[in-house]
């Protein structure tokens, strides 16, 4: 389980950018459906993007991106425990 979580989170940005193949999207969607930890992270990130898109059309600031990565890393560590 830990490994598929790590994979899903690694492909988070590609997933949200629509940059994955249909096959990869299907695998990740199926994983999110049955994994609440990943659902939380994916939900958090896509919500964040919507907020940013509404406020401005700039790229996510580097500091904010680092904080998101920290949250993702923390989640991966929790899962691995
Ligand atoms: Zn997961």
């Amino acid at each position: 389980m830990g490994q598929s979580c790590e994979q899903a989170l690694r492909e988070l940005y590609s997933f949200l950018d629509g940059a994955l193949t249909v096959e990869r999207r299907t695998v990740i969607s199926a994983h999110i459906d049955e994994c609440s930890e990943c659902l939380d992270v994916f939900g958090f990130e896509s919500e964040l993007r919507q907020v940013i898109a509404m406020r401005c059309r700039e790229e996510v600031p580097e500091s904010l991106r680092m904080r998101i990565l920290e949250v993702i890393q923390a989640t991966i560590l929790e899962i691995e425990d």
Side-chain angles (χ1 to χ4, degrees):
M1 178 192 165
Q3 206 183 1
S4 53
C5 285
E6 212 176 308
Q7 252 171 24
L9 294 174
R10 245 183 228 146
E11 292 183 289
L12 168 64
Y13 287 106
S14 306
F15 183 91
L16 293 171
D17 285 339
L20 293 178
T21 62
V22 175
E23 287 78 10
R24 291 307 302 158
R25 289 185 72 83
T26 305
V27 169
I28 292 175
S29 295
H31 178 78
I32 296 168
D33 275 350
E34 56 190 34
C35 181
S36 57
E37 287 97 337
C38 288
L39 180 65
D40 281 351
V41 178
F42 274 65
F44 169 71
E45 171 67 5
S46 68
E47 215 170 279
L48 186 69
R49 284 190 167 208
Q50 281 170 24
V51 170
I52 291 166
M54 277 162 58
R55 288 188 182 165
C56 62
R57 295 185 181 276
E58 288 169 28
E59 281 285 294
V60 178
E62 189 60 28
S63 58
L64 189 54
R65 187 172 279 269
M66 292 308 290
R67 277 180 54 202
I68 294 165
L69 287 175
E70 276 170 24
V71 170
I72 293 171
Q73 281 300 325
T75 304
I76 291 172
L77 289 177
E78 271 175 36
I79 293 163
E80 282 175 350
D81 282 345

